[in-house]
């Protein structure tokens, strides 16, 4: 194949009548001409390739047939404190990757190492090899050649210097294989990785050899190839592992046991024991070296800094070592063959050069600095990854949620005119004809559950606003609808488990024990069943429903409802604000009506097939380990929010949960929304509540929704005994009126105080787990409001509840 040619296609086989792009013409107009040709061949728009920030005139030696560029997300990991030979201080490393959790995992490892005093690093040596092969007619000729060539090292160095002033030929080592001789040229290459440089130098040196008749003999040399594949170029090899190819770099640190437990969520003994199992597996399978995740760091930093990404094969080989020490764990990482450079190749490209500059990796001696940075972050990532594996945090983002059968999932293209005609036929518009369906671009605020789930499942889930053109009794009209496509409860449980796994340690362990009791079981079908209710006390206070569609075989759980608009109050943003006293009065008045539907019908509600797991006192006591793990995690990860006082009071309340949760269970209960906050509520223009997102609804005391609304919608200045008392009374009296019963006020207030405790121990602990994965701007104010309300309740001095939240 000639340079620039296409493999497998001769010039005569080029398509007749089509433009063949001019290769080697480095101008913007030539690029656009090639792109136009590619569009004509593929019949695709290829709009993403239309614009690029790269200057075509500066890409000679980087790419041929240039048509455009692809973007890869770049994240920044760190800081990691270095105490190395070539790098000192805190460093942030750019990582170009599409693999979720890589940057955060490297950052977690970097945090642990930095807290322990930093990582020591050293660039031990540099070597770049090329290995041409000479084939002779007989073994004897090959032997004579192999013996003679090393004596001409000075001549070969002179030949190399004619090509490059940066490459230094260190040695030439012959390897005889039958009648062939592989000459391993070994170089140092300064701040360049040197693959192309050493190829040119070796070629020129070999031309000198070929001219020396006394070396190659008279007619005995049959062929010569500039690379005989014994250099290990772009391949993982035991030779490169032992001798190095590129820069050999090492990193080490000592982690005290407290940092291992606090940051890596495991113990020194568990970490080293798990590491030993991983090493045994690597030995058994014949892996070169032994590491958990080195290739990820190498590929990500290589891509971000313009290195030769194909060299991840050899550069990703690493030896990770963990040893138990009296104070904790000793860790080291050796990368024997980092083929890196800070000049040449793609390092001159604008973004890549800037990212090298950001790490101080430009100028003389910077290649060794870059190698040490990669080694340090490789050590940090392996520490985090192995810790995750041994402590139960590790979860594959590629796992298909445990499926072992093909599922023909519901597709968005099934939302056609026929589907919506059926939907309207189920509602107040029988006989309506749908003549058009269009998607509508409306900013959406996804729920915590749907956001966690939609990032991982490979099917359409979430909210999809659409506008229908409808012919009803000869009248043309437009109808806005919202289609909600729900994930399965299994998917929600898995994704909540992934968030728990990323928290690590006891949170991950105890979540797995109790994941069937946290309210997620049945969340896929529960909302559909509720929206099929006919009681006007319910239907008048939820979005208007056109249709629910359920097909368990296809994992299809779909709701078609009104698209909420023209609301007096509606806020699904991260920071709910602006709920006036009047809005709260409306919400709590109508909440009493909603609660009245099932109030006094507890036994009937328990028999409903869609209700799912119902919280009870026995479970809450058994789950103490989980509540304590959530409290500890919240205090450790978010100390600016969950201070020592909060943590002590949480622990005290968890310790007495066997005293106060049975009292909740003994009180009159009903169907509660269980996510009753401004993200899921609206106030209509006519002064009515509209509550949506009912997937977490369950059997609980009605004060649970009251307490949640107050801590999520009240302005801090309004948290006082008068305001809270008035709002609580609105809810209680409304429930009395609509349920046609009498509710004791003192018992009602006791239930409200207990509901606050339940929220703090249970719901907010899970909120902080989600907050670990994705920042929720609303959480800080909600948390502060919760404790202001708890303090207000404690000030009431009720003998039956006072002291349950008092810390030691």
């Amino acid at each position: 194949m000639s340079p620039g040619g296409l493999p497998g296609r001769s010039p005569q086989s080029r398509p007749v009548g089509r433009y063949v792009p001019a290769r080697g013409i480095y101008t913007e107009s030539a690029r656009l001409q090639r792109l136009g040709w590619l569009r004509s061949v593929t019949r695709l728009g290829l709009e993403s390739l239309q614009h690029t920030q790269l200057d075509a005139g500066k890409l000679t030696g980087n790419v041929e047939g240039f048509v455009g560029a692809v973007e890869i997300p770049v994240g920044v990991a760190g800081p990691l404190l270095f105490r190395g030979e070539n790098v000192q201080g805190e460093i942030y490393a750019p990582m170009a990757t599409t693999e979720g959790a890589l940057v955060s995992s490297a950052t977690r490892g970097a945090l642990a190492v930095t807290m322990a005093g930093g990582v020591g690093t050293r660039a031990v040596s540099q070597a770049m090899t090329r290995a041409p092969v000479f084939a002779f007619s007989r073994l004897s000729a090959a032997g004579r050649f192999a013996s003679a060539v090393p004596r001409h090292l000075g001549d070969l160095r002179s030949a190399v210097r004619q090509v490059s002033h940066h490459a230094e030929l260190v040695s030439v080592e012959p390897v005889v294989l039958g009648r062939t001789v592989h000459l391993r040229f070994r170089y140092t290459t300064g701040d360049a990785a040197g693959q192309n440089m050493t190829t040119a130098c070796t070629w020129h040196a070999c031309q000198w050899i070929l001219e020396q008749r006394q070396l190659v003999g008279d007619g005995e040399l049959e062929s010569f190839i500039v690379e005989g594949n014994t250099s290990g170029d772009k391949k993982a090899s035991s030779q490169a592992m032992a001798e190095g190819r590129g820069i050999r770099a090492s990193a080490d640190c000592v982690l005290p046991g407290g940092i291992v437990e606090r940051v890596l969520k495991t113990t020194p003994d568990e970490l080293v024991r798990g590491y030993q199992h991983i090493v045994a597996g690597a030995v058994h399978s014949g892996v070169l070296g032994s590491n958990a995740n080195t290739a990820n760091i190498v590929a990500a930093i290589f891509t971000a800094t313009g290195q030769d990404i194909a060299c991840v094969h050899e550069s990703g080989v690493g030896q990770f070592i963990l040893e138990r020490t009296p104070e904790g764990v000793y860790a080291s990482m050796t990368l024997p063959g980092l083929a890196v450079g800070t000049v040449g190749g793609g390092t001159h490209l604008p973004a890549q050069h800037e990212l090298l500059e950001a790490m101080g990796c430009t100028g003389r001696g910077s290649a060794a600095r870059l190698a040490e940075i990669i080694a340090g972050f490789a050590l940090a990532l392996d520490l985090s990854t192995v810790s995750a594996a041994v402590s139960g945090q590790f979860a594959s983002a590629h796992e298909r949620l445990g499926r072992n059968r093909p599922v023909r999932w519901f597709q968005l293209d099934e939302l056609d005119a026929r589907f919506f005609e059926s939907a309207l036929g189920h509602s107040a518009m029988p006989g309506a004809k749908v003549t058009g369906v269009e998607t509508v671009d409306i900013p959406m605020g996804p729920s915590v559950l749907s956001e966690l789930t939609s990032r991982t499942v490979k099917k359409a889930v979430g909210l999809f606003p659409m506008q229908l053109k409808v012919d009803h009794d000869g009248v043309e009209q437009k109808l806005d609808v919202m289609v909600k496509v729900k994930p399965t409860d299994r998917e929600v449980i898995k994704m909540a488990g992934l968030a728990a796994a990323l928290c690590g340690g006891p949170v991950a362990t105890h979540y797995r024990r109790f994941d069937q009791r946290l309210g997620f079981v049945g969340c896929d079908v529960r909302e559909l069943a509720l929206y099929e209710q006919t009681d006007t006390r319910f239907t008048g206070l939820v979005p208007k429903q056109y249709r629910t569609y359920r097909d368990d075989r296809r994992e299809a759980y779909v709701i078609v409802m009104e698209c909420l608009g023209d609301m007096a109050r509606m806020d699904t943003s991260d920071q709910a604000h602006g709920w006036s006293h009047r809005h709260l009065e409306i919400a709590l008045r109508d909440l009493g009506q909603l609660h009245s539907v099932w109030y006094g019908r507890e036994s009937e509600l328990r028999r409903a097939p869609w209700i799912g797991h119902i919280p009870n006192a026995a479970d809450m006591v058994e789950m103490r380990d989980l509540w304590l793990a959530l409290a500890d995690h919240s205090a450790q990860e978010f100390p600016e929010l969950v201070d020592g006082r909060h943590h002590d009071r949480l622990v005290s309340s968890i310790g007495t949960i066997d005293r106060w949760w049975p009292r909740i269970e003994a009180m009159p209960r009903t169907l509660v929304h269980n996510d009753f906050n401004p993200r899921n509520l609206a106030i209509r223009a006519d002064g009515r509540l509209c509550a949506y997102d009912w997937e977490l609804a369950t059997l609980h005391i009605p004060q649970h929704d009251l307490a949640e609304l107050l801590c999520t919608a009240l302005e801090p200045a309004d948290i006082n005994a008068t305001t809270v008392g008035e709002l609580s009374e609105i809810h209680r009296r409304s429930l009395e009126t609509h349920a046609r019963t009498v509710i004791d006020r003192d018992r009602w207030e006791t239930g409200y105080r207990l509901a606050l405790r339940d929220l703090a121990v249970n719901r907010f602990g899970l909120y902080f787990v989600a907050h670990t994965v994705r920042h929720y701007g609303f959480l800080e104010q909600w948390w502060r409001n919760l404790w202001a309300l708890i303090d207000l309740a404690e000030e009431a001095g009720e003998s039956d509840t006072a002291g349950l939240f008092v810390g030691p």
Side-chain angles (χ1 to χ4, degrees), residues 145-157:
F145 177 78
S147 298
V149 167
R151 295 195 293 268
H152 293 274
L153 181 59
D155 297 319
L156 294 173
R157 285 173 175 167

Side-chain angles (χ1 to χ4, degrees), residues 406-463:
V407 177
R408 188 170 66 88
W409 289 318
F410 184 85
Q411 302 293 323
L412 291 183
D413 59 13
E414 296 180 55
L415 298 172
D416 55 14
R418 181 179 177 182
F419 181 89
F420 287 113
E421 282 181 4
S422 176
L424 299 181
H426 282 71
S427 64
M429 301 177 69
K433 298 294 183 183
V434 177
T435 59
V437 178
E438 294 183 3
T439 58
V440 181
D441 186 15
I442 299 177
M444 305 303 300
S447 70
V448 173
L449 289 184
S450 65
E451 184 170 17
L452 283 174
T453 308
S454 63
R455 292 182 178 187
T456 304
V457 297
K458 297 181 180 180
K459 59 182 180 181
V461 297
L463 298 172

Side-chain angles (χ1 to χ4, degrees), residues 625-766:
D625 288 342
L626 176 60
W627 310 137
L628 287 171
L630 294 176
D632 291 345
H633 167 75
S634 302
Q636 291 170 6
E637 296 298 324
F638 306 103
E640 71 282 3
L641 291 180
V642 186
D643 59 25
R645 174 175 170 269
H646 293 151
H647 181 258
D648 289 345
R649 296 173 76 186
L650 282 171
V651 171
S652 177
S653 185
I654 295 166
T656 58
I657 202 168
D658 57 336
R659 289 168 44 197
W660 57 268
W661 226 98
R663 302 181 63 191
I664 290 179
E665 196 169 20
M667 290 182 172
R669 294 193 281 179
T670 186
L671 181 81
V672 298
H673 184 282
N674 201 29
D675 204 11
F676 201 72
N677 61 68
R679 289 169 64 87
N680 303 320
L681 304 175
I683 302 296
R684 295 187 184 274
D686 63 3
R688 287 181 298 133
L689 172 71
C690 182
Y692 43 94
D693 286 354
W694 285 81
E695 48 257 335
L696 295 180
T698 190
L699 177 66
H700 212 301
I701 58 175
Q703 297 95 316
H704 184 280
D705 284 344
L706 164 66
E708 183 167 12
L709 180 63
L710 293 183
C711 74
T712 59
L714 268 176
E715 295 290 342
D718 293 330
I719 299 179
N720 56 72
T722 300
T723 300
V724 172
E726 289 176 354
L727 293 173
S728 177
E729 269 297 281
I730 290 171
H731 183 206
R732 184 187 69 84
R733 289 175 181 173
S734 175
L735 180 55
E736 270 190 337
T737 300
H738 289 97
R740 299 178 181 179
T741 188
V742 176
I743 301 174
D744 180 77
R745 181 173 179 176
D746 288 341
R747 194 180 189 197
W748 175 266
E749 292 302 319
T750 297
Y752 160 71
R753 295 183 180 96
L754 294 172
L756 286 172
R757 289 157 174 73
D758 186 49
L759 282 171
V761 169
N762 180 344
R763 173 58 55 80
F764 274 86
L766 294 172

Side-chain angles (χ1 to χ4, degrees), residues 69-149:
V70 297
E71 281 193 279
I72 301 174
V74 176
V76 178
L80 175 58
L81 177 61
F82 279 82
R83 297 178 290 101
E85 289 190 351
N86 293 281
V87 54
Q88 297 85 35
E90 290 189 344
I91 296 293
Y92 291 87
M95 298 182 185
T97 181
T98 56
E99 181 172 346
L102 171 61
V103 174
S104 61
S105 185
T107 297
R108 183 176 77 140
L111 173 62
V113 174
T114 298
M115 290 175 62
V119 59
T121 56
R122 182 185 179 202
V124 181
S125 61
Q126 184 200 46
M128 182 52 61
T129 57
R130 273 287 165 234
V133 57
F134 295 79
F136 293 87
S137 58
R138 299 292 298 274
L139 174 62
S140 57
R144 286 194 300 271
F145 177 78
S147 298
V149 167

